[in-house]
């Protein structure tokens, strides 16, 4: 069995930063301690000056396979993910076909097994007519159920109240929801088309996909979850007002209603639509600087539980369409961690809190087995970061199949040095070294 001793790193784990050595044996963390010495056969990696974190678990990505592989595929995006220190991901069902049958779910698992650089899990898509399938899902292998309570890429809106009530009442899997009120968005869009025709300015995106639309949908999903006892996780909060809907008086393990925030909503604000245009068009929309401040506040005070990306690539030519035709979403997995390291340096969040939200909490929330922590016996999914090495985002270094990033031209204040997935060094110093090290996530339920 291969053995590697990572020496002299500062480990960040379970609320602490401390200097120690960490030993990998095969695919697991074998030992953590300050007195570990290499055996005669052990390889050694000196990580002096670097921080060692559990690999990030991104609970919301869109890798576009099958069916939308002109935008991205599991191989390309999972390699970008490991270059960004993300060692596990949960992928969304709005592919073609949609992941709404057992056969299509298995097809995704098979595809990822053949080509994924990172560990993988999938959310099963809820529709207006597959509730019986949701009831029969295998809790050990299915990460959760995704519901689009507002329509976005892929036409997966679930809008029949009696169906929603039945889904909420009949599964104890995590129901992850995209919350934007459809009627509000439709009416706003209609009014803007009446005013601007085909030339709606991109700045109007957060007016059309408004804070009100988010709040109406999130609050009604939460009311339904409270009534039915469902386990609800609200994806990608984007407004100050929604943060008031979430509780920090109990630990995550006891919560039935949880929330996620994504990198783009923490980084950008509506001031940037004038320069970045559709490159920062997401659903829900990037909103005001005050909303962004409130999201940081709620993340730090534990009303928001998870940090993720909502990585959702589209081609540049698709994005260059006018407002009504430009799809929402953008690629993020390669850059989310360097962006967060920049925010750590700015004092927006501590490294330990970031690790809690991006590594520990997704594992806890989805019951991911033996990942998300630096613990003996856990899988050796690890990332070494250099908090002091600036990282300039350049087109030629992008690993996304779509070959653009909303961060081009940005220099982050920290960078990813080395990533391990299941004990294998998959990425180091700008190069992906192993393209198929990922395993299926399993869930301890
Ligand atoms: O901006 C978004 N893009 N939001 C979503 O909910 C879907 C995603 C996509 O798949 O393009």
């Amino acid at each position: 069995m291969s053995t590697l001793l990572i020496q002299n790193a500062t480990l960040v784990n379970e609320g602490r930063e401390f200097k120690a050595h960490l030993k990998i044996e095969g695919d697991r963390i074998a030992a953590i301690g300050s007195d570990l010495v290499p055996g005669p056969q052990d390889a050694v990696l000196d990580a002096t000056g670097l921080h060692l974190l559990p690999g990030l678990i991104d609970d919301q990505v869109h890798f576009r396979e099958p069916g939308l592989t002109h935008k991205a595929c599991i191989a390309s995006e999972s390699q970008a993910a490991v270059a960004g220190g993300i060692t596990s991901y949960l992928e969304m069902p709005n592919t073609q076909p949609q992941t709404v049958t057992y056969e299509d779910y298995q097809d995704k698992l098979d595809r990822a097994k053949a080509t994924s650089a990172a560990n993988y899990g999938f959310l099963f898509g809820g529709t207006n007519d597959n509730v019986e399938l949701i009831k029969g899902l295998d809790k050990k292998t299915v990460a959760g159920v995704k519901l689009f309570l507002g329509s976005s890429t892929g036409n997966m809106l679930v809008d029949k109240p009696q169906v929603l009530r039945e889904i909420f009442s009949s599964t104890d899997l995590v129901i992850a929801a995209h919350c934007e009120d459809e009627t509000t968005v439709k009416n706003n869009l209609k009014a803007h088309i009446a005013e601007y025709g085909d030339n709606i300015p991109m700045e109007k995106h957060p007016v059309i996909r408004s804070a009100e639309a988010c709040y109406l949908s999130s609050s009604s999903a939460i009311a339904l979850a409270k009534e039915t006892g469902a386990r609800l996780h609200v994806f990608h909060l984007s407004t100050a007002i929604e943060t008031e809907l979430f509780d920090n008086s109990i630990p995550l393990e006891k919560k039935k209603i949880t929330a996620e925030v994504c990198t783009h909503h923490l980084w950008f604000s509506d001031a940037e639509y004038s320069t970045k245009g559709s490159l920062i068009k997401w659903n829900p929309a990037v909103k005001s600087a005050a909303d962004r401040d409130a999201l940081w506040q709620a993340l730090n005070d534990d009303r928001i539980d998870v940090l993720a990306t909502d990585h959702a690539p589209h081609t540049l030519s698709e994005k260059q369409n006018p407002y009504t035709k430009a799809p929402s979403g953008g690629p993020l997995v390669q850059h989310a961690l360097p962006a967060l390291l920049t925010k750590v340096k700015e004092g927006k969040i501590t490294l330990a809190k970031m690790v809690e939200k991006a590594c520990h909490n997704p594992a806890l929330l989805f019951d991911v087995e033996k990942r998300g922590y630096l613990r003996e016996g856990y899988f050796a999914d690890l990332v070494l970061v250099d908090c002091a090495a600036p990282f300039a985002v350049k087109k030629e270094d992008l690993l996304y199949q779509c070959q653009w990033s909303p961060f081009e031209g940005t220099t982050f204040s920290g960078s990813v040095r080395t990533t391990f997935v299941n004990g294998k060094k998959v990425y180091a110093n700008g190069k992906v070294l192993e393209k198929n090290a990922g395993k299926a996530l399993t869930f301890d339920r």
Side-chain angles (χ1 to χ4, degrees):
M1 194 188 300
S2 67
T3 311
L4 171 72
L5 188 64
I6 302 175
Q7 291 182 312
N8 305 315
T10 300
L11 277 59
V12 187
N13 192 49
E14 299 184 69
R16 290 200 305 138
E17 287 187 33
F18 56 102
K19 283 235 155 62
H21 312 308
L22 182 147
K23 190 175 202 169
I24 302 174
E25 264 175 27
D27 62 1
R28 303 288 171 137
I29 298 170
I32 297 170
S34 51
D35 53 356
L36 301 177
V37 285
Q41 309 298 326
D42 295 351
V44 170
L45 193 161
D46 181 21
T48 304
L50 304 179
H51 286 82
L52 182 62
L53 326 176
L56 276 66
I57 301 176
D58 190 345
D59 79 351
Q60 190 187 180
V61 304
H62 304 261
F63 283 177
R64 308 303 193 198
E65 188 178 340
L68 298 165
T69 51
H70 66 288
K71 296 177 196 273
C73 62
I74 291 171
S76 59
E77 309 313 286
S78 66
Q79 287 170 39
V82 298
I86 293 168
T87 53
S88 300
Y89 60 85
L90 302 182
E91 206 267 347
M92 297 299 118
N94 58 339
T95 43
Q96 283 176 12
Q98 297 166 347
T99 319
V100 297
T101 67
Y102 296 160
E103 293 72 25
D104 289 323
Y105 194 88
Q106 186 58 46
D107 177 56
K108 273 202 175 167
L109 282 171
D110 295 344
R111 286 167 182 272
K113 186 174 181 191
T115 62
S116 186
N119 304 309
Y120 47 89
F122 297 95
L123 269 73
F124 190 82
T127 69
N128 279 324
D129 44 35
N130 72 349
V131 63
E132 290 310 316
L133 293 182
I134 291 174
K135 289 179 189 169
L137 289 170
D138 173 14
K139 295 188 178 63
K140 287 272 175 203
T141 55
V142 176
V145 175
K146 169 78 185 273
L147 295 182
F148 281 89
L149 303 181
S151 62
S152 191
T153 308
N155 296 323
M156 291 194 71
L157 180 67
V158 188
D159 57 356
K160 292 190 181 150
Q162 74 279 15
V163 171
L164 284 176
R165 181 172 299 276
E166 201 181 345
I167 294 175
F168 274 57
S169 306
S170 56
T171 180
D172 47 18
L173 282 167
V174 173
I175 296 174
H178 179 123
C179 293
E180 288 184 286
D181 183 65
E182 191 66 11
T183 309
T184 308
V185 172
K186 267 197 180 144
N187 289 341
N188 290 342
L189 182 59
K190 214 165 138 192
H192 280 75
I193 290 174
E195 188 171 352
Y196 296 100
D198 270 351
N199 294 316
I200 301 176
M202 219 46 84
E203 287 85 338
K204 297 294 178 192
H205 191 48
V207 182
I208 294 167
R209 290 202 169 244
S210 62
E212 187 198 5
C214 295
Y215 184 79
L216 277 174
S217 178
S218 299
S219 54
S220 82
I222 289 169
L224 187 59
K226 285 187 174 157
E227 204 184 310
T228 54
R231 178 62 199 85
L232 174 69
H233 184 43
V234 180
F235 268 166
H236 41 44
L237 291 201
S238 63
T239 66
I241 188 164
E242 285 170 289
T243 63
E244 293 164 18
L245 297 166
F246 297 89
D247 187 11
N248 58 4
S249 68
I250 46 172
L252 175 58
E253 290 89 326
K254 295 216 166 94
K255 288 187 186 181
K256 293 209 85 174
I257 295 166
T258 52
E260 176 213 76
V261 67
C262 295
T263 324
H264 47 292
H265 292 121
L266 292 170
W267 185 278
F268 297 108
S269 80
D270 56 8
E272 283 144 299
Y273 285 110
S274 60
T275 50
K276 300 235 176 226
S278 67
L279 300 189
I280 62 162
K281 183 182 189 228
W282 274 279
N283 299 338
V286 166
K287 299 195 174 63
S288 70
D291 287 303
R292 182 177 59 188
D293 289 348
L295 295 170
W296 276 113
Q297 171 70 36
L299 183 66
N300 276 305
D301 73 19
D302 296 338
R303 281 172 293 153
I304 296 179
D305 306 285
V306 168
L307 255 170
T309 67
D310 191 12
H311 173 86
H314 297 282
T315 66
L316 199 51
S317 62
E318 289 167 334
K319 289 293 263 184
Q320 281 161 347
N321 278 303
Y323 178 81
T324 48
K325 294 212 173 65
S328 294
L332 288 160
V333 284
Q334 195 179 347
H335 301 109
L337 177 53
L340 290 168
L341 294 177
T342 307
K343 294 297 168 188
V344 168
K345 192 155 191 188
E346 287 173 14
K348 289 276 189 204
I349 189 166
T350 66
L351 212 42
K353 197 73 173 167
M354 184 199 86
V355 163
E356 177 191 327
K357 302 292 178 178
C359 312
H360 305 333
N361 284 1
L364 269 181
L365 203 150
F366 286 92
D367 308 304
V368 176
E369 223 158 15
K370 296 234 178 291
R371 302 187 192 272
Y373 292 86
L374 303 180
R375 287 182 182 160
E376 291 171 10
Y378 273 50
F379 287 98
D381 295 340
L382 309 167
V383 55
L384 273 171
V385 297
D386 188 337
C387 294
F391 167 39
V393 181
K394 299 189 192 124
K395 207 179 234 346
E396 61 266 29
D397 299 329
L398 299 177
L399 294 173
Y400 310 127
Q401 187 182 301
C402 66
Q403 285 295 299
W404 66 272
S405 160
F407 292 120
E408 274 166 70
T410 305
T411 298
F412 297 122
S413 58
S415 53
V416 174
R417 273 290 191 84
T418 309
T419 309
F420 295 87
V421 172
N422 298 310
K424 290 185 179 151
K425 192 194 281 186
V426 295
Y427 172 83
N429 302 321
K431 294 258 170 310
V432 176
L433 308 171
E434 285 256 0
K435 298 191 169 164
N436 193 14
K439 294 186 184 182
L441 296 174
T442 54
F443 304 96
D444 191 12
R445 305 168 172 138

